Amino acid sequence: MYKRIHNFSAGPAVLPEEVLLEVQEEMLDYRGHGLSVMEMSHRSAPFQEIIDNAVAAVKRIMDLADDYEVLFLQGGASTQFYMIPLNLCPDGEVANYINTGSWAGKALKEAQKMGKKMHVAASSEDKEFTYIPRDFVLSDNPAYLHITTNNTIRGTEYKFDPETGDIPLIADMSSNFMSKPVNFRKYALIYAGAQKNIGPAGVTVVIIRKDIIPRINSGLPTMMSYNTHIEKGSMFNTPPCFAIYVTGKVLKWIENQGGLKAIEQNNIRKAKCIYDILDNSRFYRGTVVREDRSMMNIPFRLPTEELEKKFISESTAQGMLNLKGHRSVGGCRASLYNSLPLKSAQVLAEFMLDFEKKNR
Ligand SMILES: *Cc1c(COP(=O)(O)O)cnc(C)c1O
């Protein structure tokens, strides 16, 4: 037997136990082929089936038709920070960003580094990124508007889709990807590193609406161009085969749970365990405005930094890992991604109440 901890990591994060067991079972002999997926040619029929099934599952789960391309790329969400302006911001146009925290800030800096004109259409920096701006002002000749739908470090989340009319809306959905139903069709490009919500590290899902393909810059190095990966079905070069394979299993798990509606219900229940405590406590303090708080990443503070240290060491000793806040903001943070069992959220909630009683 094995013992699993309660894993509140912000990423790489917890995966469904069923998925891990299936991977284990198929490790030495993948479905009678006599080898593991790690050892398999990416040009082989079994691997082609794995990637085709994963693409189809993404489209089914997100209710996307054939007007979208689904890519599995390498380099993490961070590589998308510069691929997006390179591919989709031609000279004479302006890359627009809403700045809602560290990741959004990194994305907009890359646009500048690529020599693009960049415009901050809205920002929540005035209040330390504790809210999501409702209004924004686009520049002249906007190439696109980029948003970060869930701010992993600050713990804010978009609960609405900004209205941009004909201007392509682009979203970094890394930390709330497939956590709830979204009107995905409003987005021209969506990307997400798999390691937060849908798989292991090493693969990034990029979803591109076909109507923006003609806008793609044709003068880029081969690997930098979305066109290459679209034309070659994510297999211009060797893709991250094993990460795609495990992600495919998590996608199947999402469908077996009942899809995004069911996943959302589960996520609401888990987040409620923790937010109910924050809302009713004078000991714990949430750090963002209520309307914009994230269902995935919940930062909170205790009365003193000493107590925060004690909280983290005692929770760790009791099998709850990774509750330390991001080093840039301090405090505590619980990440409650899709695959985190409800039980883990309940165990944390009980611990929090108990800790408050003993240390108040
Ligand atoms: C983790 C994260 C990233 C960075 O992802 P990498 O795959 O490590 O490059 C980018 N954006 C958001 C919102 C994230 O949470």
Side-chain angles (χ1 to χ4, degrees):
M1 255 330 260
Y2 50 86
K3 181 171 163 291
R4 303 265 298 159
I5 53 129
H6 299 289
N7 187 357
F8 299 97
S9 171
V14 56
L15 289 167
E17 206 170 304
E18 299 94 303
V19 165
L20 298 175
L21 287 169
E22 244 183 75
V23 170
Q24 182 184 46
E25 197 178 296
E26 293 176 346
M27 187 61 77
L28 290 171
D29 177 7
Y30 177 74
R31 303 190 179 176
H33 293 287
L35 76 179
S36 73
V37 175
M38 268 185 277
E39 304 164 290
M40 200 179 267
S41 165
H42 59 295
R43 308 287 176 202
S44 66
F47 186 75
Q48 189 65 54
E49 193 186 331
I50 286 169
I51 192 167
D52 289 347
N53 285 343
V55 168
V58 168
K59 287 188 182 174
R60 274 196 309 272
I61 291 168
M62 297 172 73
D63 191 25
L64 300 173
D66 279 336
D67 51 343
Y68 280 85
E69 296 282 354
V70 176
L71 306 176
F72 291 105
L73 304 183
Q74 300 188 65
S78 302
T79 291
Q80 297 309 306
F81 292 167
Y82 66 86
M83 275 181 81
I84 288 162
L86 280 178
N87 279 268
L88 295 168
C89 185
D91 293 341
E93 294 187 19
V94 181
N96 280 248
Y97 287 79
I98 295 184
N99 186 10
T100 48
S102 315
W103 294 116
K106 283 185 179 162
L108 66 87
K109 276 190 204 105
E110 290 298 290
Q112 289 173 310
K113 271 198 173 171
M114 294 300 109
K116 305 296 176 182
K117 273 200 197 134
M118 191 282 294
H119 169 74
V120 178
S123 169
S124 52
E125 196 169 7
D126 58 341
K127 290 186 181 156
E128 282 190 57
F129 302 115
T130 52
Y131 71 104
I132 299 286
R134 295 298 186 278
D135 300 323
F136 58 90
V137 182
L138 294 178
S139 65
D140 288 340
N141 295 323
Y144 56 77
L145 175 68
H146 178 286
I147 64 168
T148 309
T149 55
N150 186 75
N151 297 282
T152 326
I153 296 172
R154 296 287 177 173
T156 57
E157 179 173 15
Y158 273 84
K159 314 275 169 80
F160 61 95
D161 311 296
E163 194 54 64
T164 56
D166 290 341
I167 308 305
L169 179 60
I170 293 181
D172 176 357
M173 294 195 180
S174 292
S175 52
N176 68 346
F177 191 52
M178 294 191 179
S179 65
K180 61 183 180 183
V182 170
N183 187 1
F184 295 109
R185 286 154 188 265
K186 291 194 81 164
Y187 294 83
L189 190 149
I190 292 165
Y191 64 101
Q195 73 275 16
K196 307 282 162 68
N197 238 338
I198 60 150
V203 63
T204 306
V205 183
V206 180
I207 298 165
I208 303 177
R209 201 173 61 213
K210 286 182 182 167
D211 66 330
I212 65 162
I213 292 175
R215 289 180 54 82
I216 293 173
N217 179 351
S218 58
L220 295 173
T222 311
M223 279 296 285
M224 287 300 96
S225 170
Y226 289 130
N227 277 330
T228 304
H229 303 295
I230 291 168
E231 279 160 22
K232 301 292 181 184
S234 303
M235 293 215 267
F236 168 72
N237 70 328
T238 318
C241 300
F242 196 75
I244 293 170
Y245 157 72
V246 180
T247 298
K249 289 199 182 293
V250 177
L251 296 171
K252 200 177 84 187
W253 175 84
I254 290 173
E255 291 194 285
N256 288 342
Q257 300 290 301
L260 297 188
K261 275 217 178 84
I263 291 280
E264 180 186 37
Q265 286 313 310
N266 209 17
N267 286 335
I268 290 172
R269 284 179 72 190
K270 288 184 286 180
K272 193 172 182 304
C273 293
I274 310 306
Y275 280 126
D276 277 352
I277 292 178
L278 301 186
D279 288 345
N280 295 307
S281 167
R282 281 198 234 144
F283 185 78
Y284 299 106
R285 181 171 55 82
T287 58
V288 304
V289 305
R290 215 184 153 110
E291 313 84 78
D292 299 334
R293 59 197 189 180
S294 167
M295 204 161 50
M296 299 281 96
N297 311 99
I298 308 182
F300 54 93
R301 302 301 306 239
L302 277 68
T304 66
E305 285 185 19
E306 268 66 61
L307 280 169
E308 286 168 348
K309 275 201 191 105
K310 191 172 176 208
F311 179 93
I312 287 157
S313 79
E314 287 185 14
S315 57
T316 304
Q318 295 189 32
M320 286 163 267
L321 250 57
N322 302 312
L323 285 165
K324 201 167 177 253
H326 191 269
R327 59 190 181 283
S328 63
V329 295
C332 303
R333 173 179 57 175
S335 296
L336 313 176
Y337 293 124
N338 288 348
S339 313
L340 185 86
L342 175 62
K343 180 77 192 158
S344 293
Q346 290 167 336
V347 167
L348 173 58
E350 269 168 44
F351 172 78
M352 288 174 76
L353 291 175
D354 189 53
F355 189 88
E356 176 173 353
K357 251 185 235 149
K358 289 180 180 147
N359 294 278
R360 186 164 47 194

